[in-house]
mmCIF file of all heavy atoms in Angstrom:
data_model
loop_
_atom_site.group_PDB
_atom_site.id
_atom_site.type_symbol
_atom_site.label_atom_id
_atom_site.label_comp_id
_atom_site.label_asym_id
_atom_site.label_seq_id
_atom_site.Cartn_x
_atom_site.Cartn_y
_atom_site.Cartn_z
ATOM 1 N N TRP A 154 0.839 -1.203 0.006
ATOM 2 C CA TRP A 154 0.001 0.001 0.000
ATOM 3 C C TRP A 154 0.871 1.256 -0.002
ATOM 4 O O TRP A 154 0.585 2.228 -0.713
ATOM 5 C CB TRP A 154 -0.930 -0.015 1.204
ATOM 6 C CG TRP A 154 -1.969 1.070 1.199
ATOM 7 C CD1 TRP A 154 -3.240 0.990 0.721
ATOM 8 C CD2 TRP A 154 -1.812 2.417 1.702
ATOM 9 N NE1 TRP A 154 -3.898 2.186 0.891
ATOM 10 C CE2 TRP A 154 -3.043 3.078 1.491
ATOM 11 C CE3 TRP A 154 -0.765 3.114 2.297
ATOM 12 C CZ2 TRP A 154 -3.247 4.409 1.855
ATOM 13 C CZ3 TRP A 154 -0.964 4.449 2.664
ATOM 14 C CH2 TRP A 154 -2.185 5.073 2.447
ATOM 15 N N LEU A 155 1.920 1.242 0.814
ATOM 16 C CA LEU A 155 2.821 2.394 0.848
ATOM 17 C C LEU A 155 3.447 2.643 -0.519
ATOM 18 O O LEU A 155 3.569 3.790 -0.968
ATOM 19 C CB LEU A 155 3.929 2.171 1.887
ATOM 20 C CG LEU A 155 3.496 2.127 3.359
ATOM 21 C CD1 LEU A 155 4.667 1.729 4.236
ATOM 22 C CD2 LEU A 155 2.937 3.474 3.807
ATOM 23 N N LYS A 156 3.821 1.563 -1.193
ATOM 24 C CA LYS A 156 4.413 1.706 -2.526
ATOM 25 C C LYS A 156 3.407 2.253 -3.522
ATOM 26 O O LYS A 156 3.704 3.161 -4.308
ATOM 27 C CB LYS A 156 4.949 0.364 -2.996
ATOM 28 C CG LYS A 156 5.666 0.414 -4.337
ATOM 29 C CD LYS A 156 6.247 -0.943 -4.702
ATOM 30 C CE LYS A 156 7.007 -0.885 -6.022
ATOM 31 N NZ LYS A 156 7.578 -2.214 -6.370
ATOM 32 N N GLU A 157 2.197 1.711 -3.489
ATOM 33 C CA GLU A 157 1.156 2.148 -4.435
ATOM 34 C C GLU A 157 0.789 3.619 -4.233
ATOM 35 O O GLU A 157 0.345 4.287 -5.177
ATOM 36 C CB GLU A 157 -0.093 1.279 -4.246
ATOM 37 C CG GLU A 157 0.093 -0.167 -4.696
ATOM 38 C CD GLU A 157 -1.008 -1.076 -4.187
ATOM 39 O OE1 GLU A 157 -1.943 -0.555 -3.526
ATOM 40 O OE2 GLU A 157 -0.926 -2.289 -4.414
ATOM 41 N N ASN A 158 0.987 4.112 -3.028
ATOM 42 C CA ASN A 158 0.625 5.494 -2.719
ATOM 43 C C ASN A 158 1.847 6.404 -2.602
ATOM 44 O O ASN A 158 1.761 7.491 -2.018
ATOM 45 C CB ASN A 158 -0.203 5.541 -1.437
ATOM 46 C CG ASN A 158 -1.600 4.976 -1.628
ATOM 47 O OD1 ASN A 158 -2.510 5.693 -2.005
ATOM 48 N ND2 ASN A 158 -1.769 3.677 -1.385
ATOM 49 N N ALA A 159 2.960 5.955 -3.188
ATOM 50 C CA ALA A 159 4.191 6.755 -3.267
ATOM 51 C C ALA A 159 4.685 7.210 -1.894
ATOM 52 O O ALA A 159 5.230 8.313 -1.750
ATOM 53 C CB ALA A 159 3.973 7.959 -4.181
ATOM 54 N N LEU A 160 4.499 6.351 -0.871
ATOM 55 C CA LEU A 160 4.935 6.679 0.483
ATOM 56 C C LEU A 160 6.066 5.796 0.997
ATOM 57 O O LEU A 160 6.664 6.100 2.027
ATOM 58 C CB LEU A 160 3.742 6.557 1.449
ATOM 59 C CG LEU A 160 2.640 7.596 1.292
ATOM 60 C CD1 LEU A 160 1.433 7.196 2.132
ATOM 61 C CD2 LEU A 160 3.139 8.969 1.690
ATOM 62 N N ARG A 161 6.344 4.728 0.283
ATOM 63 C CA ARG A 161 7.303 3.763 0.817
ATOM 64 C C ARG A 161 8.719 4.326 0.881
ATOM 65 O O ARG A 161 9.469 4.019 1.808
ATOM 66 C CB ARG A 161 7.275 2.495 -0.032
ATOM 67 C CG ARG A 161 8.096 1.363 0.555
ATOM 68 C CD ARG A 161 7.722 0.050 -0.073
ATOM 69 N NE ARG A 161 8.762 -0.946 0.082
ATOM 70 C CZ ARG A 161 8.760 -2.121 -0.493
ATOM 71 N NH1 ARG A 161 7.755 -2.473 -1.276
ATOM 72 N NH2 ARG A 161 9.738 -2.974 -0.315
ATOM 73 N N ASP A 162 9.080 5.163 -0.086
ATOM 74 C CA ASP A 162 10.455 5.643 -0.157
ATOM 75 C C ASP A 162 10.848 6.402 1.105
ATOM 76 O O ASP A 162 11.935 6.203 1.649
ATOM 77 C CB ASP A 162 10.622 6.535 -1.391
ATOM 78 C CG ASP A 162 12.085 6.868 -1.646
ATOM 79 O OD1 ASP A 162 12.887 5.923 -1.776
ATOM 80 O OD2 ASP A 162 12.426 8.066 -1.707
ATOM 81 N N ASN A 163 9.970 7.277 1.589
ATOM 82 C CA ASN A 163 10.323 8.100 2.755
ATOM 83 C C ASN A 163 9.575 7.676 4.006
ATOM 84 O O ASN A 163 9.255 8.501 4.861
ATOM 85 C CB ASN A 163 10.070 9.586 2.474
ATOM 86 C CG ASN A 163 10.840 10.473 3.447
ATOM 87 O OD1 ASN A 163 11.936 10.128 3.889
ATOM 88 N ND2 ASN A 163 10.265 11.612 3.784
ATOM 89 N N THR A 164 9.280 6.399 4.107
ATOM 90 C CA THR A 164 8.706 5.858 5.337
ATOM 91 C C THR A 164 9.689 4.905 5.986
ATOM 92 O O THR A 164 10.148 3.945 5.360
ATOM 93 C CB THR A 164 7.388 5.112 5.052
ATOM 94 O OG1 THR A 164 6.423 6.043 4.553
ATOM 95 C CG2 THR A 164 6.842 4.483 6.323
ATOM 96 N N LEU A 165 10.040 5.212 7.233
ATOM 97 C CA LEU A 165 10.917 4.344 8.020
ATOM 98 C C LEU A 165 10.037 3.268 8.646
ATOM 99 O O LEU A 165 9.164 3.558 9.458
ATOM 100 C CB LEU A 165 11.643 5.145 9.082
ATOM 101 C CG LEU A 165 12.753 4.454 9.876
ATOM 102 C CD1 LEU A 165 13.714 5.489 10.439
ATOM 103 C CD2 LEU A 165 12.217 3.597 11.013
ATOM 104 N N LEU A 166 10.284 2.021 8.264
ATOM 105 C CA LEU A 166 9.515 0.872 8.749
ATOM 106 C C LEU A 166 10.440 0.037 9.628
ATOM 107 O O LEU A 166 11.493 -0.424 9.172
ATOM 108 C CB LEU A 166 9.016 0.067 7.552
ATOM 109 C CG LEU A 166 7.913 -0.971 7.761
ATOM 110 C CD1 LEU A 166 6.632 -0.313 8.195
ATOM 111 C CD2 LEU A 166 7.685 -1.748 6.467
ATOM 112 N N TRP A 167 10.059 -0.164 10.896
ATOM 113 C CA TRP A 167 10.938 -0.852 11.856
ATOM 114 C C TRP A 167 10.159 -2.006 12.468
ATOM 115 O O TRP A 167 9.151 -1.804 13.133
ATOM 116 C CB TRP A 167 11.368 0.140 12.936
ATOM 117 C CG TRP A 167 12.503 -0.308 13.811
ATOM 118 C CD1 TRP A 167 12.858 -1.579 14.165
ATOM 119 C CD2 TRP A 167 13.457 0.551 14.458
ATOM 120 N NE1 TRP A 167 13.960 -1.573 14.987
ATOM 121 C CE2 TRP A 167 14.347 -0.276 15.178
ATOM 122 C CE3 TRP A 167 13.633 1.935 14.505
ATOM 123 C CZ2 TRP A 167 15.401 0.244 15.948
ATOM 124 C CZ3 TRP A 167 14.674 2.452 15.264
ATOM 125 C CH2 TRP A 167 15.547 1.618 15.975
ATOM 126 N N TYR A 168 10.638 -3.224 12.239
ATOM 127 C CA TYR A 168 9.991 -4.407 12.821
ATOM 128 C C TYR A 168 10.882 -5.011 13.898
ATOM 129 O O TYR A 168 12.105 -5.113 13.741
ATOM 130 C CB TYR A 168 9.714 -5.480 11.764
ATOM 131 C CG TYR A 168 9.102 -6.717 12.415
ATOM 132 C CD1 TYR A 168 7.739 -6.756 12.706
ATOM 133 C CD2 TYR A 168 9.890 -7.798 12.816
ATOM 134 C CE1 TYR A 168 7.183 -7.835 13.363
ATOM 135 C CE2 TYR A 168 9.333 -8.880 13.480
ATOM 136 C CZ TYR A 168 7.989 -8.893 13.750
ATOM 137 O OH TYR A 168 7.442 -9.962 14.425
ATOM 138 N N CYS A 169 10.235 -5.479 14.989
ATOM 139 C CA CYS A 169 10.963 -6.236 16.018
ATOM 140 C C CYS A 169 9.982 -7.101 16.804
ATOM 141 O O CYS A 169 8.760 -6.960 16.680
ATOM 142 C CB CYS A 169 11.719 -5.312 16.958
ATOM 143 S SG CYS A 169 10.667 -4.258 17.996
ATOM 144 N N GLY A 170 10.506 -8.015 17.626
ATOM 145 C CA GLY A 170 9.717 -8.771 18.570
ATOM 146 C C GLY A 170 9.779 -8.117 19.940
ATOM 147 O O GLY A 170 10.597 -7.231 20.185
ATOM 148 N N ASP A 171 8.903 -8.550 20.862
ATOM 149 C CA ASP A 171 8.880 -7.948 22.200
ATOM 150 C C ASP A 171 9.620 -8.768 23.249
ATOM 151 O O ASP A 171 9.897 -8.281 24.345
ATOM 152 C CB ASP A 171 7.441 -7.665 22.661
ATOM 153 C CG ASP A 171 6.614 -8.929 22.847
ATOM 154 O OD1 ASP A 171 7.049 -10.020 22.423
ATOM 155 O OD2 ASP A 171 5.510 -8.829 23.424
ATOM 156 N N ASN A 172 9.920 -10.014 22.954
ATOM 157 C CA ASN A 172 10.731 -10.848 23.842
ATOM 158 C C ASN A 172 11.064 -12.131 23.090
ATOM 159 O O ASN A 172 10.616 -12.355 21.957
ATOM 160 C CB ASN A 172 10.019 -11.170 25.159
ATOM 161 C CG ASN A 172 8.605 -11.674 25.011
ATOM 162 O OD1 ASN A 172 7.653 -11.004 25.404
ATOM 163 N ND2 ASN A 172 8.439 -12.866 24.450
ATOM 164 N N GLY A 173 11.861 -12.979 23.720
ATOM 165 C CA GLY A 173 12.268 -14.211 23.067
ATOM 166 C C GLY A 173 11.135 -15.205 22.902
ATOM 167 O O GLY A 173 10.006 -15.005 23.349
ATOM 168 N N THR A 174 11.467 -16.307 22.250
ATOM 169 C CA THR A 174 10.491 -17.355 21.930
ATOM 170 C C THR A 174 10.038 -18.083 23.190
ATOM 171 O O THR A 174 10.864 -18.428 24.037
ATOM 172 C CB THR A 174 11.129 -18.354 20.952
ATOM 173 O OG1 THR A 174 11.537 -17.641 19.781
ATOM 174 C CG2 THR A 174 10.152 -19.437 20.559
ATOM 175 N N PRO A 175 8.743 -18.361 23.339
ATOM 176 C CA PRO A 175 8.255 -19.136 24.496
ATOM 177 C C PRO A 175 8.556 -20.620 24.358
ATOM 178 O O PRO A 175 9.132 -21.079 23.358
ATOM 179 C CB PRO A 175 6.757 -18.859 24.483
ATOM 180 C CG PRO A 175 6.430 -18.573 23.064
ATOM 181 C CD PRO A 175 7.638 -17.893 22.497
ATOM 182 N N GLY A 176 8.123 -21.373 25.363
ATOM 183 C CA GLY A 176 8.530 -22.778 25.481
ATOM 184 C C GLY A 176 8.165 -23.671 24.325
ATOM 185 O O GLY A 176 8.919 -24.592 23.990
ATOM 186 N N ASP A 177 7.018 -23.444 23.673
ATOM 187 C CA ASP A 177 6.658 -24.319 22.568
ATOM 188 C C ASP A 177 7.547 -24.088 21.361
ATOM 189 O O ASP A 177 7.980 -25.030 20.688
ATOM 190 C CB ASP A 177 5.189 -24.146 22.195
ATOM 191 C CG ASP A 177 4.767 -22.696 22.020
ATOM 192 O OD1 ASP A 177 5.621 -21.804 22.205
ATOM 193 O OD2 ASP A 177 3.591 -22.445 21.716
ATOM 194 N N GLY A 178 7.885 -22.823 21.077
ATOM 195 C CA GLY A 178 8.645 -22.508 19.875
ATOM 196 C C GLY A 178 10.131 -22.780 19.949
ATOM 197 O O GLY A 178 10.803 -22.827 18.916
ATOM 198 N N ILE A 179 10.683 -22.963 21.160
ATOM 199 C CA ILE A 179 12.137 -23.110 21.278
ATOM 200 C C ILE A 179 12.643 -24.457 20.805
ATOM 201 O O ILE A 179 13.855 -24.695 20.804
ATOM 202 C CB ILE A 179 12.607 -22.879 22.734
ATOM 203 C CG1 ILE A 179 11.995 -23.917 23.694
ATOM 204 C CG2 ILE A 179 12.300 -21.465 23.184
ATOM 205 C CD1 ILE A 179 12.627 -23.901 25.067
ATOM 206 N N VAL A 180 11.754 -25.316 20.350
ATOM 207 C CA VAL A 180 12.169 -26.633 19.875
ATOM 208 C C VAL A 180 13.183 -26.518 18.734
ATOM 209 O O VAL A 180 14.019 -27.400 18.546
ATOM 210 C CB VAL A 180 10.935 -27.464 19.438
ATOM 211 C CG1 VAL A 180 10.247 -26.844 18.249
ATOM 212 C CG2 VAL A 180 11.316 -28.900 19.127
ATOM 213 N N THR A 181 13.135 -25.438 17.976
ATOM 214 C CA THR A 181 14.060 -25.256 16.865
ATOM 215 C C THR A 181 15.174 -24.249 17.156
ATOM 216 O O THR A 181 16.015 -23.997 16.305
ATOM 217 C CB THR A 181 13.298 -24.758 15.622
ATOM 218 O OG1 THR A 181 12.695 -23.495 15.926
ATOM 219 C CG2 THR A 181 12.222 -25.737 15.200
ATOM 220 N N SER A 182 15.197 -23.669 18.355
ATOM 221 C CA SER A 182 16.118 -22.570 18.645
ATOM 222 C C SER A 182 17.525 -23.081 18.955
ATOM 223 O O SER A 182 17.702 -24.067 19.681
ATOM 224 C CB SER A 182 15.607 -21.745 19.830
ATOM 225 O OG SER A 182 16.537 -20.722 20.163
ATOM 226 N N GLU A 183 18.504 -22.364 18.431
ATOM 227 C CA GLU A 183 19.897 -22.666 18.746
ATOM 228 C C GLU A 183 20.388 -21.867 19.946
ATOM 229 O O GLU A 183 21.457 -22.148 20.484
ATOM 230 C CB GLU A 183 20.777 -22.350 17.533
ATOM 231 C CG GLU A 183 20.472 -23.216 16.303
ATOM 232 C CD GLU A 183 21.367 -22.868 15.131
ATOM 233 O OE1 GLU A 183 22.183 -21.937 15.269
ATOM 234 O OE2 GLU A 183 21.241 -23.516 14.080
ATOM 235 N N LEU A 184 19.624 -20.865 20.357
ATOM 236 C CA LEU A 184 20.033 -20.015 21.468
ATOM 237 C C LEU A 184 19.612 -20.624 22.795
ATOM 238 O O LEU A 184 18.598 -21.303 22.894
ATOM 239 C CB LEU A 184 19.420 -18.623 21.321
ATOM 240 C CG LEU A 184 19.796 -17.850 20.059
ATOM 241 C CD1 LEU A 184 19.054 -16.524 20.025
ATOM 242 C CD2 LEU A 184 21.298 -17.616 19.985
ATOM 243 N N ARG A 185 20.386 -20.332 23.822
ATOM 244 C CA ARG A 185 20.057 -20.803 25.160
ATOM 245 C C ARG A 185 18.924 -19.954 25.747
ATOM 246 O O ARG A 185 18.869 -18.747 25.559
ATOM 247 C CB ARG A 185 21.282 -20.682 26.067
ATOM 248 C CG ARG A 185 21.043 -21.144 27.497
ATOM 249 C CD ARG A 185 22.306 -21.017 28.323
ATOM 250 N NE ARG A 185 22.088 -21.432 29.706
ATOM 251 C CZ ARG A 185 23.024 -21.392 30.660
ATOM 252 N NH1 ARG A 185 24.251 -20.955 30.354
ATOM 253 N NH2 ARG A 185 22.748 -21.774 31.888
ATOM 254 N N GLY A 186 18.019 -20.604 26.463
ATOM 255 C CA GLY A 186 16.969 -19.886 27.166
ATOM 256 C C GLY A 186 15.743 -19.629 26.312
ATOM 257 O O GLY A 186 15.660 -20.018 25.148
ATOM 258 N N GLN A 187 14.775 -18.958 26.932
ATOM 259 C CA GLN A 187 13.491 -18.686 26.303
ATOM 260 C C GLN A 187 12.852 -17.476 26.958
ATOM 261 O O GLN A 187 13.423 -16.877 27.882
ATOM 262 C CB GLN A 187 12.569 -19.886 26.441
ATOM 263 C CG GLN A 187 12.202 -20.211 27.893
ATOM 264 C CD GLN A 187 11.360 -21.454 28.020
ATOM 265 O OE1 GLN A 187 11.841 -22.565 27.792
ATOM 266 N NE2 GLN A 187 10.102 -21.276 28.384
ATOM 267 N N LYS A 188 11.680 -17.098 26.462
ATOM 268 C CA LYS A 188 10.912 -16.011 27.052
ATOM 269 C C LYS A 188 10.893 -16.140 28.582
ATOM 270 O O LYS A 188 10.623 -17.207 29.123
ATOM 271 C CB LYS A 188 9.480 -16.045 26.526
ATOM 272 C CG LYS A 188 8.536 -15.063 27.207
ATOM 273 C CD LYS A 188 7.102 -15.237 26.727
ATOM 274 C CE LYS A 188 6.168 -14.295 27.456
ATOM 275 N NZ LYS A 188 4.754 -14.419 26.991
ATOM 276 N N GLY A 189 11.212 -15.053 29.270
ATOM 277 C CA GLY A 189 11.162 -15.062 30.729
ATOM 278 C C GLY A 189 12.507 -15.077 31.398
ATOM 279 O O GLY A 189 12.599 -14.814 32.591
ATOM 280 N N ASN A 190 13.593 -15.398 30.653
ATOM 281 C CA ASN A 190 14.914 -15.327 31.280
ATOM 282 C C ASN A 190 15.861 -14.468 30.449
ATOM 283 O O ASN A 190 15.502 -14.021 29.351
ATOM 284 C CB ASN A 190 15.490 -16.723 31.543
ATOM 285 C CG ASN A 190 15.748 -17.515 30.272
ATOM 286 O OD1 ASN A 190 16.361 -17.037 29.328
ATOM 287 N ND2 ASN A 190 15.259 -18.757 30.249
ATOM 288 N N LEU A 191 17.054 -14.221 30.976
ATOM 289 C CA LEU A 191 17.957 -13.246 30.386
ATOM 290 C C LEU A 191 19.067 -13.851 29.540
ATOM 291 O O LEU A 191 20.017 -13.158 29.180
ATOM 292 C CB LEU A 191 18.560 -12.361 31.490
ATOM 293 C CG LEU A 191 17.542 -11.519 32.252
ATOM 294 C CD1 LEU A 191 18.223 -10.707 33.351
ATOM 295 C CD2 LEU A 191 16.786 -10.588 31.317
ATOM 296 N N TYR A 192 18.961 -15.134 29.223
ATOM 297 C CA TYR A 192 19.874 -15.687 28.232
ATOM 298 C C TYR A 192 19.430 -15.212 26.853
ATOM 299 O O TYR A 192 18.346 -14.647 26.691
ATOM 300 C CB TYR A 192 19.892 -17.212 28.329
ATOM 301 C CG TYR A 192 20.414 -17.720 29.655
ATOM 302 C CD1 TYR A 192 19.584 -18.398 30.548
ATOM 303 C CD2 TYR A 192 21.745 -17.509 30.036
ATOM 304 C CE1 TYR A 192 20.051 -18.851 31.776
ATOM 305 C CE2 TYR A 192 22.227 -17.958 31.267
ATOM 306 C CZ TYR A 192 21.372 -18.628 32.130
ATOM 307 O OH TYR A 192 21.834 -19.067 33.339
ATOM 308 N N GLU A 193 20.262 -15.461 25.854
ATOM 309 C CA GLU A 193 20.002 -14.922 24.517
ATOM 310 C C GLU A 193 18.616 -15.315 23.994
ATOM 311 O O GLU A 193 17.950 -14.523 23.328
ATOM 312 C CB GLU A 193 21.086 -15.379 23.537
ATOM 313 C CG GLU A 193 22.471 -14.828 23.831
ATOM 314 C CD GLU A 193 22.592 -13.337 23.574
ATOM 315 O OE1 GLU A 193 22.736 -12.938 22.408
ATOM 316 O OE2 GLU A 193 22.542 -12.573 24.568
ATOM 317 N N GLY A 194 18.189 -16.531 24.262
ATOM 318 C CA GLY A 194 16.884 -16.973 23.781
ATOM 319 C C GLY A 194 15.718 -16.233 24.386
ATOM 320 O O GLY A 194 14.601 -16.279 23.854
#
């Protein structure tokens, strides 16, 4: 939509998560830890 309306060029779009992966999703994670602790995961 931004592209179609000539807004994408000068729009700063910033994506991020709010915390690490919870217990169900960490099955594939290479990082130590999960949501709720201070390790990388």
Side-chain angles (χ1 to χ4, degrees):
W154 188 93
L155 293 173
K156 184 177 182 180
E157 291 165 3
N158 289 272
L160 291 170
R161 188 163 160 188
D162 190 56
N163 199 33
T164 296
L165 188 157
L166 195 65
W167 193 331
Y168 177 82
C169 66
D171 65 348
N172 49 247
T174 302
D177 49 359
I179 62 169
V180 65
T181 61
S182 177
E183 296 180 358
L184 300 177
R185 180 179 179 182
Q187 64 184 69
K188 173 185 177 179
N190 64 49
L191 297 178
Y192 297 113
E193 294 290 281

